[in-house]
Amino acid sequence: MAISEEAPIIIAEDVHKWYGGFHVLRGVSLTVNRGEVLVLMGPSGSGKSTFIRTFNALETYQQGMIEVDGITLSHDLRNIEAIRKDVGMVFQQFNLFPHLTVLQNITLAPVWSGKFSKTKAQTVAMQLLERVGILEQANKYPGQLSGGQQQRVAIARALAMQPKIMLFDEPTSALDPEMVREVLDVMLTLAKDGMTMVVVTHEVGFAREVADLVVLMDDGLLVEAAKPNVFFNHPQEERTHQFLSQIL
């Protein structure tokens, strides 16, 4: 389990979001400390994916406050750009460019943003591919890879920008069961290396092993937040009992 430095890196206070008349986030407050792994769980439609997508402005919010590494997330494009440089994201679908090789997928953003030269970006990309265990796939195209391999490329691509925070939105839900473990192992390594991570997942084993805090969301509300041992073995809220009875 990662050891928190007790320094908040994400602060969300009373966050509200509406889709038209649908109140999808209803006053959610949460703090993530530097080096922590936070796991968000909850039924479909509970608002958890929308919530983490507000952390890098992929979703806007209408009320409340979100601060990421000291920068308040507002409509100011300069703030959004600064935050996105420090926040990597891995989605349920891999979102790789099918016409680019694995290596090209990973180097595209660092070169385009001016973070690295092409040579430096390629060096970093190869190191990351080795880190996620698929160095030999560098010159293949996404369509030649398994789902688990593609998701590991997506993780390497996010890491290529050297983010301070990694967001994972159900990163294993589109995978065949035998491919889930290889992706979770990469995430486990990241957590042990001290990466701040916010993960939307139903992978209970991962949450038990890696999370510093597990949060249940339902109907746009934060229902319960506790350390894994308490959350899974001694939940305080009846809604948490109901949810766990369906997934355990």
Side-chain angles (χ1 to χ4, degrees):
M1 185 180 294
I3 299 174
S4 168
E5 298 176 20
E6 296 301 328
I9 192 168
I10 300 174
I11 301 172
E13 293 181 354
D14 193 30
V15 175
H16 292 258
K17 178 177 177 61
W18 288 264
Y19 288 124
F22 178 48
H23 200 175
V24 63
L25 296 176
R26 302 195 291 148
V28 182
S29 297
L30 190 68
T31 298
V32 182
N33 290 321
R34 200 174 301 273
E36 274 189 342
V37 177
L38 183 141
V39 169
L40 280 170
M41 306 188 106
S44 178
S46 61
K48 55 192 187 297
S49 292
T50 300
F51 186 43
I52 72 160
R53 288 165 69 97
T54 63
F55 296 164
N56 62 354
L58 288 178
E59 295 279 1
T60 58
Y61 61 98
Q62 285 81 45
Q63 187 177 317
M65 187 277 293
I66 296 176
E67 183 178 290
V68 179
D69 198 23
I71 302 173
T72 300
L73 193 52
S74 65
H75 295 295
D76 188 324
L77 293 178
R78 291 168 298 180
N79 283 8
I80 292 172
E81 184 179 340
I83 286 171
R84 284 181 176 169
K85 285 181 178 179
D86 286 337
V87 180
M89 187 154 190
V90 177
F91 300 89
Q92 180 177 344
Q93 303 298 333
F94 321 124
N95 294 342
L96 300 174
F97 292 108
H99 63 290
L100 300 180
T101 66
V102 165
L103 187 62
Q104 290 168 335
N105 265 281
I106 296 171
T107 59
L108 184 64
V111 172
W112 182 81
S113 67
K115 189 174 186 72
F116 295 135
S117 68
K118 184 175 181 180
T119 301
K120 173 66 173 176
Q122 288 179 339
T123 299
V124 170
M126 296 300 278
Q127 291 170 344
L128 288 170
L129 285 172
E130 184 171 21
R131 186 176 180 185
V132 301
I134 49 172
L135 180 59
E136 72 284 355
Q137 310 294 345
N139 294 312
K140 291 186 179 179
Y141 290 89
Q144 297 174 287
L145 306 181
S146 70
Q149 289 171 330
Q150 289 188 61
Q151 193 62 294
R152 285 188 278 168
V153 173
I155 293 172
R157 180 180 59 180
L159 291 172
M161 290 297 288
Q162 298 185 331
K164 297 177 182 176
I165 301 163
M166 285 285 285
L167 308 177
F168 293 86
D169 188 5
E170 302 200 42
T172 60
S173 62
L175 300 177
D176 292 334
E178 64 269 22
M179 297 177 186
V180 169
R181 189 68 242 176
E182 62 191 57
V183 173
L184 293 180
D185 284 344
V186 172
M187 294 169 64
L188 177 62
T189 300
L190 286 177
K192 288 182 175 178
D193 289 344
M195 175 65 75
T196 304
M197 297 164 59
V198 182
V199 185
V200 174
T201 186
H202 289 146
E203 297 291 341
V204 173
F206 174 83
R208 286 184 186 273
E209 187 174 1
V210 177
D212 294 284
L213 193 70
V214 184
V215 172
L216 178 69
M217 287 188 67
D218 187 31
D219 196 24
L221 298 168
L222 194 158
V223 176
E224 183 162 354
K227 291 185 178 299
N229 182 53
V230 175
F231 184 90
F232 291 110
N233 299 323
H234 308 288
Q236 302 300 301
E237 301 294 331
E238 179 58 31
R239 182 66 186 93
T240 311
H241 277 283
Q242 294 171 356
F243 176 74
L244 292 176
S245 71
Q246 295 173 342
I247 68 168
L248 292 180

